[in-house]
Amino acid sequence: MPSTSTLICTSEAGVLTLTLNRPDKLNAIDNPLAEALLDALNTAANDPAVRAIRLRGNGRAFCAGRDVSAAPTDKDLELVQAVSRAIVAHRCPVIAAVHGWTVGAGFEWTMNADIVFAADSAKFKLPEASLGVFVTGGLVATLPAAIGPMRAKALTLLGEPFDAAQALAWGLVYRCVPADELDAVSLAAARQIADLKPEVAREFKRVLNQIGLERFERAVEEETAVQRRLGQGDAEA
């Protein structure tokens, strides 16, 4: 699977590692990055050699969220939501390995993953409300499912940063490790999953998501509709 300027793709022993590669922008999401990630996920869905996927970031952060240097467009929204759907619906388990800042849509993508490992120095934030936009990635389903409605409302409305220890305590990540061990630990977990019978891993993911995230698709649709309404309000102002 070819790499692009914004996404590094490497494969070994059934594990496909997808590395967000805009380190000078803290891997902030622009359309080329989202398109490359979506293409890689869709290609991997039809490649029987891929049995587990690992998502990580190059440089000082996992992902700083959407690139706010340009005004948001409907295409931005469609691509971000398409990536979330692709992660959740993918036949392969997806492991996210996060470090540094994991913000906004970047955090929302980690919530779409099946297992999240975090460096103990990682930091998280959901700033959308303060920016006048809405969350994406099915977060209105995934976040309350993980931490309950009250905490979900607090994290999204107040937008306060929280650290890896808090994320672990709330069940937003599976495990925290020293930053210099994150790559090795997440890769070892991905290899372990890749060694399972593919149909076993696929069915565990499918059924757990079907029951635990039964409202995910509705959440994405509602988020998209609200985001568009808020955008129209800005245009009319």
Side-chain angles (χ1 to χ4, degrees):
M1 188 174 301
S3 299
T4 70
S5 61
T6 59
L7 185 73
I8 300 171
C9 304
T10 57
S11 298
E12 61 94 18
V15 177
L16 172 64
T17 296
L18 302 175
T19 302
L20 309 182
N21 189 39
R22 298 187 75 210
D24 56 323
K25 297 287 188 179
L26 299 183
N27 299 317
I29 302 163
D30 62 1
N31 285 352
L33 173 57
E35 286 173 338
L37 182 55
L38 181 60
D39 287 345
L41 289 166
N42 288 339
T43 299
N46 297 307
D47 184 351
V50 177
R51 299 188 297 278
I53 294 174
R54 188 170 62 123
L55 184 61
R56 60 188 297 276
N58 188 22
R60 296 181 292 119
F62 172 72
C63 179
R66 193 187 71 81
D67 191 338
V68 296
S69 63
T73 67
D74 200 60
K75 184 177 182 181
D76 298 336
L77 175 61
E78 290 176 355
L79 283 170
V80 167
Q81 298 290 54
V83 168
S84 291
R85 284 182 163 119
I87 293 171
V88 170
H90 209 283
R91 64 175 179 81
C92 295
V94 177
I95 290 175
V98 303
H99 72 290
W101 278 106
T102 300
V103 177
F107 174 74
E108 290 149 18
W109 282 350
T110 71
M111 293 296 293
N112 301 137
D114 301 292
I115 302 173
V116 182
F117 290 90
D120 53 13
S121 55
K123 297 178 181 178
F124 306 85
K125 188 176 182 180
L126 289 164
E128 283 92 337
S130 64
L131 298 173
V133 298
F134 205 64
V135 295
T136 55
L139 191 79
V140 297
T142 59
L143 191 61
I147 63 175
M150 182 182 295
R151 283 177 176 159
K153 292 171 187 175
L155 289 185
T156 53
L157 289 172
L158 300 177
E160 296 172 342
F162 55 99
D163 61 18
Q166 190 65 74
L168 179 65
W170 284 343
L172 295 171
V173 304
Y174 169 63
R175 185 177 169 192
C176 290
V177 299
D180 61 357
E181 297 179 13
L182 177 64
D183 200 54
V185 169
S186 61
L187 181 57
R191 286 171 174 164
Q192 183 176 342
I193 289 173
D195 285 341
L196 298 173
K197 290 183 177 180
E199 61 273 21
V200 171
R202 180 175 63 247
E203 288 302 304
F204 266 92
K205 172 171 178 168
R206 183 187 67 81
V207 175
L208 284 165
N209 279 351
Q210 181 177 301
I211 303 301
L213 292 179
E214 60 179 341
R215 297 182 180 179
F216 173 78
E217 189 60 34
R218 179 184 171 190
V220 172
E221 292 173 356
E222 187 67 23
E223 289 167 352
T224 301
V226 172
Q227 188 78 280
R228 286 172 174 156
R229 285 200 300 271
L230 292 176
Q232 289 170 355
D234 289 342
E236 294 168 357

